Amino acid sequence: DLHRVDRRQRQMCIRDRRCTVCTAIRGTTHKRYKGKDVFVPTKVGWYFCTDVFTLDTITRHGNRYVMITRCLATGFYLPMVYIEHKSDVMSKFLLMIQRIRKNPLLVQPDYEIVKELRLDVAGEWQESCSMWTDMCADLQINLRYSSPDDKRANSHAEAAVKHLSHTAKGIMLSNSLPPEWIQECFNQAVDIRNNMPLVRLSLIHI
């Protein structure tokens, strides 16, 4: 009752983080968030998220976009897909999937790599695009679209874009490279990130 009546006491508890009730309420008595376990995929090479990042400048190879795909279980990045026009997303993605499924280092014993793909609601692969959905159906890839109303729904892909872009720009800055070399820096950033295992991998039986 003290937390519900005395607003000053409630704000003090939230600021000091001493009261779990006040922390759950977070300043309002009308909304109380219920903590739940976050879904964490543990099947290696099954669940991936992807996003298209617009580069600041056109690379020396003539590409303006890069498609970043990351495994949600292991944090492993698939090879970067560099795109000149967004209309080329489907063809470049198809070639990348076909190439990695033939790679003996990425072959899984019970299933093919990339079986589920989480996407945002973008125009190049939206649910109403029949060519994209038919191609993924032929590849036996299940599509899961994030909520357009909540930006946190596709947080894994956004975090992957942030990690690689910051690492690539750091490599470019440390070597005094011009902006047109960002594509080579992205490739180096992927190699660095893939050789840095995540802490949560100790919970996964690989």
Side-chain angles (χ1 to χ4, degrees):
D1 294 336
L2 177 64
H3 302 89
R4 180 171 54 85
V5 175
D6 192 350
R7 183 178 180 182
R8 182 182 177 185
Q9 179 67 26
R10 183 170 68 248
Q11 292 176 351
M12 291 176 61
C13 292
I14 295 174
R15 183 179 67 249
D16 298 336
R17 298 180 181 273
R18 297 178 181 176
C19 180
T20 56
V21 176
C22 291
T23 305
I25 294 176
R26 294 189 183 277
T28 174
T29 58
H30 301 288
K31 184 185 295 183
R32 180 176 298 179
Y33 296 97
K34 183 178 180 181
K36 294 184 178 180
D37 295 334
V38 181
F39 169 69
V40 179
T42 58
K43 205 167 186 178
V44 178
W46 183 279
Y47 209 139
F48 285 80
C49 63
T50 187
D51 199 5
V52 173
F53 176 64
T54 304
L55 301 174
D56 297 332
T57 58
I58 299 177
T59 67
R60 65 193 187 99
H61 305 282
N63 298 315
R64 186 59 186 271
Y65 307 96
V66 55
M67 187 176 182
I68 299 173
T69 309
R70 189 186 190 192
C71 178
L72 296 184
T74 61
F76 181 81
Y77 290 91
L78 293 182
M80 297 290 97
V81 177
Y82 299 98
I83 306 165
E84 183 179 1
H85 304 288
K86 281 195 173 182
S87 57
D88 301 331
V89 168
M90 186 174 66
S91 58
K92 293 292 186 65
F93 180 77
L94 175 62
L95 292 176
M96 187 265 291
I97 295 296
Q98 292 175 344
R99 185 169 64 251
I100 63 173
R101 286 184 174 179
K102 294 179 181 179
N103 189 348
L105 297 176
L106 301 176
V107 172
Q108 298 295 329
D110 301 329
Y111 52 88
E112 292 181 321
I113 192 172
V114 187
K115 299 298 292 184
E116 292 195 21
L117 194 64
R118 179 186 293 178
L119 306 167
D120 57 356
V121 189
E124 57 271 16
W125 50 47
Q126 60 185 350
E127 201 168 1
S128 59
C129 181
S130 59
M131 295 180 63
W132 170 263
T133 54
D134 293 342
M135 181 200 69
C136 292
D138 294 337
L139 296 173
Q140 298 181 354
I141 298 177
N142 298 323
L143 301 178
R144 295 182 180 272
Y145 290 91
S146 60
S147 173
D149 302 325
D150 191 354
K151 61 181 180 181
R152 298 170 298 179
N154 201 33
S155 59
H156 292 88
E158 299 295 340
V161 170
K162 182 184 71 173
H163 294 163
L164 286 186
S165 61
H166 287 183
T167 307
K169 290 179 180 179
I171 294 172
M172 186 170 59
L173 181 63
S174 62
N175 292 278
S176 302
L177 295 174
E180 292 78 12
W181 285 74
I182 189 65
Q183 182 168 330
E184 286 75 13
C185 295
F186 260 98
N187 292 333
Q188 186 66 36
V190 170
D191 293 337
I192 293 174
R193 289 285 178 176
N194 283 341
N195 286 279
M196 296 177 62
L198 302 178
V199 177
R200 68 171 182 263
L201 292 184
S202 59
L203 304 177
I204 303 175
H205 300 287
I206 300 179

